[in-house]
Amino acid sequence: MIQFSEVGKRYQGGNEALAGVSFSIARGEMVFLTGPSGAGKSTLLKLLALIERPSRGQIIVNGQNLGGIRRRQIPYYRRKVGVIFQDHKLLPERTVFDNVALPLTIAGVFHREISKRVGAALELVGLLHKEHALPVTLSTGEQQRVGIARAVISRPPILIADEPTGNLDPDLSYEVMQLFRRLNQVGITVLVASHDHNLIRRLGQRYLSLRGGRMVAPELQGDAHAEHA
Amino acid sequence: MPSTRDDGVHGAHLSRHTPGQRLNAYFLHHRQMLLAGLQRLRQHPLASFMTVAVIGIALALPAGTLVLVKNAKNVSDNWKGAARISLFLKPGLSDALVQQLAASVREHAGVGSVQVITANQSLADFQQRSGFGDALNLLGSNPLPAVLVIQPTDDYAMPAAAQQLGQTLGELPQVDQVRMDIQWLERLQAMLEILRRAVVIIALLLALAVVFIVGNTIRLEIENRRTEIEVSKLMGATDRFIRRPFLYHGAWYGLAGGVLAWFLVVIALLLMAGPVSHLASLYGNQFSLRGLGFDGSLELLMSGIVLGWLGSWLAVARHLRAIEPA
């Protein structure tokens, strides 16, 4: 589903964020991306969301070579990748409903369908009763769950999350990760960047480890992987 | 958007809508953005009003002046009373010859009526009016010529035609000099043409100003909505989708400015109507100011909308591309 071959990224100014990274993630897999800050996790996710372009190497997502996607086509690619941010990036002056509906509005989905699907997505994250609230009135954990509802509303085959639990306490973090697992179980390929080793160990999923722009540890299979499969 | 290849593929994945439903959603979004643009205008009433006021004044100035120039041109085009031609005859012609000439001139095409003022009549008039009667008596002979005052027919009353007629009649051997009342009218028209040109040039400059004002306002609006633009782009919004609300916003500014300009022109004309009809009555004329009319009003509003749209397009083209998620 996601395949990196010798991908390097050097930013203007010479800072090399990724130095030849190769890995692949199968369809329907859930994988963590770990490593200290500055290891290149964010850059790797930005390459996947086509926010940045690699300096070298090749990225193939869902059978599509990202190098071949021109600027005008980027929006249509992005609609197939759900993105979740650490700071959730909700629009403060819009209600929870409107925030979650945004990807559907953008994709030009018929409005009756929109309200049906927003309802379903909010139910999934347990926030149906908050649909008319403004994001500021929600707790951090709730805001993050709204962000997740928004990321999955257009039923993307791939979900990527950048430190989704960075601002959450351990219990809330675990809840959010369980949510990702549920999404993974319905067939979405999930890639979560996180430096929370305890949490990753507790979940027992496969993880990739970045350090200084390179893959370091051999890819370890978590003990609990069998249980998930 | 719906025409793009990728969208079609993805659309199938996203939902099971018929093309009609997708088109509906497309128009719905346009309608929403149309209303959202208006909403944004109302969110900051004072700031919006100031922008609208500047646009309104910038549009009202040339529109109002053009209306006045058109009115003046209208008056001068139809100023028939002024198209009189005076033929000053060579001195020493007998009254009989003068009457004979008047009769033949009366037959000339374009001549409506001919009034004969003989040399003696001229002298009597002059003596009476000038108060130099005694001095004139000293001259012994009458220095004044006979005059034929010609009123052209309606067909020949317009400046150009009257000029033509005066020239033809001036070639008669008995005529010493032609004096046309029309000349001042021609000068007036020439001045009006200069004024009209000047107004058009000023209008173009002010139109440019409107474009820049709207452009700058929209630029600030884009800056304010930076996060929204970034997030929308991350969610797969096309440039067109992001552009749309700003373009409508600009068009609303233009329309509001146009409406304000319309009111300003109407009020200004109302204020001028009294003095103008007084002036007209002094000339014994039944004249009243003509307003913008339906066409003029429509043109004013349309130019407002178009300029607003252009202005926001300018801002959007320059600034939207620069905002990319990072």
Side-chain angles (χ1 to χ4, degrees), chain B residues 23 54 71 111 127 194 261 271 278 286 296:
Chain B
L23 203 64
V54 173
N71 271 298
V111 175
Q127 275 176 332
I194 293 171
L271 290 176
H278 179 62
Q286 287 291 314

Side-chain angles (χ1 to χ4, degrees), chain A residues 1-222:
Chain A
M1 195 64 168
I2 300 174
Q3 195 183 345
F4 274 55
S5 323
E6 284 302 314
V7 173
K9 173 68 185 175
R10 184 184 288 277
Y11 286 107
Q12 276 179 346
N15 173 31
E16 190 169 44
L18 290 178
V21 170
S22 302
F23 66 91
S24 75
I25 296 171
R27 188 178 297 269
E29 231 187 328
M30 175 163 173
V31 176
F32 283 95
L33 181 64
T34 119
S37 21
K41 300 192 298 291
S42 292
T43 300
L44 196 152
L45 296 187
K46 279 179 187 171
L47 293 176
L48 271 177
L50 278 181
I51 295 168
E52 296 287 349
R53 299 280 197 169
S55 313
R56 60 199 165 86
Q58 179 176 274
I59 305 170
I60 293 172
V61 176
N62 206 1
Q64 198 173 11
N65 185 343
L66 299 197
I69 296 178
R70 279 170 296 153
R71 191 186 177 278
R72 287 176 55 87
Q73 300 169 317
I74 291 177
Y76 306 104
Y77 167 78
R78 283 190 183 145
R79 291 177 196 181
K80 289 179 270 184
V81 181
V83 189
I84 292 149
F85 312 90
Q86 177 171 5
D87 60 349
H88 51 72
K89 288 196 195 293
L90 299 178
L91 300 178
E93 77 280 16
R94 300 210 194 169
T95 62
V96 166
F97 182 97
D98 288 342
N99 266 289
V100 174
L102 184 65
L104 297 184
T105 316
I106 286 169
V109 173
F110 199 46
H111 65 291
R112 254 178 252 142
E113 171 99 6
I114 288 181
S115 55
K116 219 166 56 190
R117 275 165 65 177
V118 170
L122 283 175
E123 204 171 353
L124 179 79
V125 298
L127 287 172
L128 190 51
H129 58 293
K130 299 274 191 180
E131 64 176 348
H132 299 301
L134 288 176
V136 280
T137 65
L138 304 181
S139 70
T140 323
E142 286 171 332
Q143 287 175 356
Q144 193 55 279
R145 272 143 66 199
V146 174
I148 294 170
R150 184 182 62 183
V152 299
I153 186 93
S154 55
R155 298 172 190 156
I158 297 172
L159 197 58
I160 60 179
D162 190 5
E163 300 282 3
T165 61
N167 299 328
L168 304 181
D169 63 43
D171 284 347
L172 280 176
S173 299
Y174 189 72
E175 250 176 62
V176 165
M177 291 303 182
Q178 288 297 341
L179 189 55
F180 282 132
R181 232 146 87 170
R182 282 221 300 283
L183 292 167
N184 177 236
Q185 276 157 13
V186 300
I188 301 178
T189 307
V190 181
L191 177 61
V192 181
S194 172
H195 59 258
D196 190 342
H197 289 286
N198 291 333
L199 187 64
I200 294 168
R201 218 163 290 140
R202 198 166 147 203
L203 286 160
Q205 301 281 357
R206 176 191 167 198
Y207 66 91
L208 303 164
S209 195
L210 272 176
R211 192 175 294 265
R214 293 171 202 282
M215 287 288 172
V216 281
E219 298 179 11
L220 297 175
Q221 294 296 120

